[in-house]
Amino acid sequence: MVDFTLTDEQKNLRDMAHDFAEKEIRPVAWELDRDSTFPHEIVKQAWELGLMNNHIPEEYGGPGLDFLTGCLIEEELGWGCSGVGTSLMCNGLATAPVILGGSEEVKKEFLGMLTEEPKLASFCLTEPDAGSDVSGMRTTAVRKGDKYVINGTKCFITNGSHADWYTVYAKTDKEAGHRGISAFVVPRQLDGVSVDKKEDKLGQRASDTAMISFSDVEIPADYLIGEENKGFKLAMMTLDRTRPGVAAMGVGIAQAAFEFARDYAKERVQFGVPIAMHQAIQFMIADMATKIEASRLMVWKSGVELDQGRRNTLISSHAKRFAADTAMEVTVDAVQVYGGYGFIKEYPVEKLMRDAKIMQLYEGTSQIQRLVIAREVLMPRRVEEPATAAA
Ligand SMILES: Cc1cc2nc3c(=O)[nH]c(=O)nc-3n(C[C@H](O)[C@H](O)[C@H](O)COP(=O)(O)OP(=O)(O)OC[C@H]3O[C@@H](n4cnc5c(N)ncnc54)[C@H](O)[C@@H]3O)c2cc1C
């Protein structure tokens, strides 16, 4: 039997995240967006409440939550403000490769750092010339005795300016394309690590997006995550685990826009009746509701597949692609429902429209999700296959 009933723990955590989003995030979200201010205070509060580091196992001080519960929390934070939500959830992206492949010592040191204090970590995959096609990355890691020396530049790194450590992908075999990539943990305070540029963005302006350079950065060889040249596989396994949560954040943005549009449609009177009485508006509101419902179902399924130990590459790409496109479509329609007021910053929906755009871009663009979906449906793997990389 398929049962969509949440456990009491899941309901409580979802309600707590909603409450936090309503009381602590919403009241400042538009101001943080206007000034592009990083939400330091909210990070501390969320950490204290236990709304961060959801999937760090209990033995390293985390709550060890299942993926469905993580999605429930991410939807609520995205509903509050997805810029803040992205800042709070980025540790999940940076820690997933460590949880999957780090040595016991690395897990204790670096996961422990995040659970002992409200610290941040970033995931450094993208480079100026290597976005969707990471095999073109130029960052290198050269083994010298018991160390690796890292050189290169990563761009668009979420929380990059504020992170205490980075998960960095670098070439250990320059000739081997994606099969020559390895993953490392790099502490921020090491000589040669620098934050070069903070980006000024269209949306999610409360989140920090930075360019990070590594110039002859020496790290102990033990900071290699997993095996040498298996970093691409680790990155794909990471994205399988984080795309459900990113998609959930897209659902949160869409839900927020839907609620604003629904309420406005009932208040705004034109031609002698609330605009909600006009069928054209009703149909827009109905389509928003349907798309949100379908997105949420895909998000839940993509989390549950992981929780039940199954490979979720296909459903997590369905969820990420559909929820991202839904967030974009619903927020554009919300602006339409508001008419001219929707275009004015004093009203809430233009921010949501700007925020939604990134959902179609980061953690694999909507085109890349379609490539993954096409590959999975044209060359399907057996569903019983355990959760492994898409590589
Ligand atoms: C705000 C923000 C935060 C980010 N955070 C992080 C982070 O924390 N860590 C990190 O490593 N990266 C991060 N990124 C990077 C993000 O993941 C990349 O921007 C994304 O993967 C796309 O890469 P690109 O920008 O180089 O675009 P490109 O790869 O140059 O793509 C350009 C266009 O071409 C399309 N395209 C490319 N290849 C194909 C193809 N084969 N078929 C069809 N269409 C294709 C794309 O879909 C896109 O529309 C972030 C980006 C932003 C903007």
Side-chain angles (χ1 to χ4, degrees), residues 256-286 288 333-339 341-342 347-349:
F258 163 77
E259 290 171 12
F260 282 123
R262 179 198 59 198
D263 296 350
Y264 186 81
K266 289 199 273 188
E267 282 165 18
R268 174 74 174 166
V269 173
Q270 289 293 286
F271 298 97
V273 291
I275 58 170
M277 299 294 283
H278 301 305
Q279 198 182 52
I281 298 288
Q282 283 176 14
F283 282 11
M284 254 195 282
I285 303 272
M288 287 180 186
D333 281 351
V335 170
Q336 194 66 24
V337 169
Y338 269 70
Y341 296 97
Y347 292 82
V349 286

Side-chain angles (χ1 to χ4, degrees), residues 283-305:
F283 282 11
M284 254 195 282
I285 303 272
D287 284 349
M288 287 180 186
T290 305
K291 286 178 200 168
I292 291 169
E293 193 65 26
S295 302
R296 189 177 286 118
L297 284 174
M298 283 190 220
V299 165
W300 284 28
K301 188 171 182 216
S302 65
V304 168
E305 290 287 311

Side-chain angles (χ1 to χ4, degrees), residues 57 60 98 151 214 249 300 329:
Y60 308 107
V98 174
N151 278 289
F214 304 90
M249 205 166 289
W300 284 28
E329 289 160 14

Side-chain angles (χ1 to χ4, degrees), residues 166 188 190 192-197 211-215 217:
Y166 304 104
R188 158 81 177 274
L190 291 183
V193 179
S194 60
V195 177
D196 292 343
K197 183 186 174 201
M211 185 174 267
I212 316 290
S213 288
F214 304 90
S215 174
V217 178

Side-chain angles (χ1 to χ4, degrees), residues 122-391:
S122 294
F123 179 86
C124 302
L125 181 65
T126 306
E127 298 188 2
D129 294 323
S132 301
D133 179 12
V134 297
S135 68
M137 73 170 57
R138 294 187 188 163
T139 298
T140 55
V142 177
R143 177 96 192 219
K144 291 208 171 133
D146 59 356
K147 292 189 173 15
Y148 281 97
V149 182
I150 300 191
N151 278 289
T153 298
K154 297 288 175 179
C155 67
F156 300 154
I157 303 307
T158 300
N159 286 355
S161 314
H162 307 291
D164 284 283
W165 57 268
Y166 304 104
T167 300
V168 179
Y169 292 84
K171 283 274 176 77
T172 31
D173 181 347
K174 280 199 258 184
E175 313 306 321
H178 70 271
R179 293 183 203 283
I181 296 171
S182 303
F184 301 89
V185 174
V186 179
R188 158 81 177 274
Q189 85 282 4
L190 291 183
D191 286 345
V193 179
S194 60
V195 177
D196 292 343
K197 183 186 174 201
K198 181 182 167 256
E199 304 293 350
D200 186 11
K201 306 194 294 293
L202 171 75
Q204 292 205 343
R205 290 171 55 78
S207 72
D208 172 73
T209 311
M211 185 174 267
I212 316 290
S213 288
F214 304 90
S215 174
D216 287 328
V217 178
E218 289 191 1
I219 55 164
D222 300 343
Y223 286 0
L224 170 71
I225 310 173
E227 290 173 53
E228 229 183 52
N229 299 327
K230 295 281 167 61
F232 181 76
K233 189 173 173 181
L234 209 52
M236 295 305 109
M237 289 174 77
T238 294
L239 296 175
D240 281 353
R241 280 156 181 74
T242 55
R243 278 176 184 154
V246 174
M249 205 166 289
V251 176
I253 299 173
Q255 178 69 31
F258 163 77
E259 290 171 12
F260 282 123
R262 179 198 59 198
D263 296 350
Y264 186 81
K266 289 199 273 188
E267 282 165 18
R268 174 74 174 166
V269 173
Q270 289 293 286
F271 298 97
V273 291
I275 58 170
M277 299 294 283
H278 301 305
Q279 198 182 52
I281 298 288
Q282 283 176 14
F283 282 11
M284 254 195 282
I285 303 272
D287 284 349
M288 287 180 186
T290 305
K291 286 178 200 168
I292 291 169
E293 193 65 26
S295 302
R296 189 177 286 118
L297 284 174
M298 283 190 220
V299 165
W300 284 28
K301 188 171 182 216
S302 65
V304 168
E305 290 287 311
L306 273 181
D307 291 333
Q308 295 185 350
R310 286 193 293 274
R311 187 172 168 273
N312 73 336
T313 304
L314 176 59
I315 184 65
S316 73
S317 280
H318 279 316
K320 165 70 168 57
R321 202 289 286 167
F322 195 79
D325 290 353
T326 291
M328 198 68 250
E329 289 160 14
V330 167
T331 54
V332 168
D333 281 351
V335 170
Q336 194 66 24
V337 169
Y338 269 70
Y341 296 97
F343 203 64
I344 306 296
K345 281 192 182 281
E346 202 181 322
Y347 292 82
V349 286
E350 64 82 35
K351 169 188 182 290
L352 300 177
M353 188 178 85
R354 289 185 285 106
D355 287 349
K357 186 61 209 169
I358 191 61
M359 309 311 295
Q360 295 178 312
L361 299 171
Y362 64 13
E363 298 216 20
T365 66
S366 291
Q367 287 73 34
I368 294 305
Q369 302 310 327
R370 284 180 173 89
L371 283 185
V372 173
I373 292 165
R375 187 191 57 206
E376 292 284 321
V377 298
L378 290 167
M379 292 174 286
R381 300 187 196 189
R382 284 185 302 120
V383 284
E384 311 84 66
E385 199 175 332
T388 54

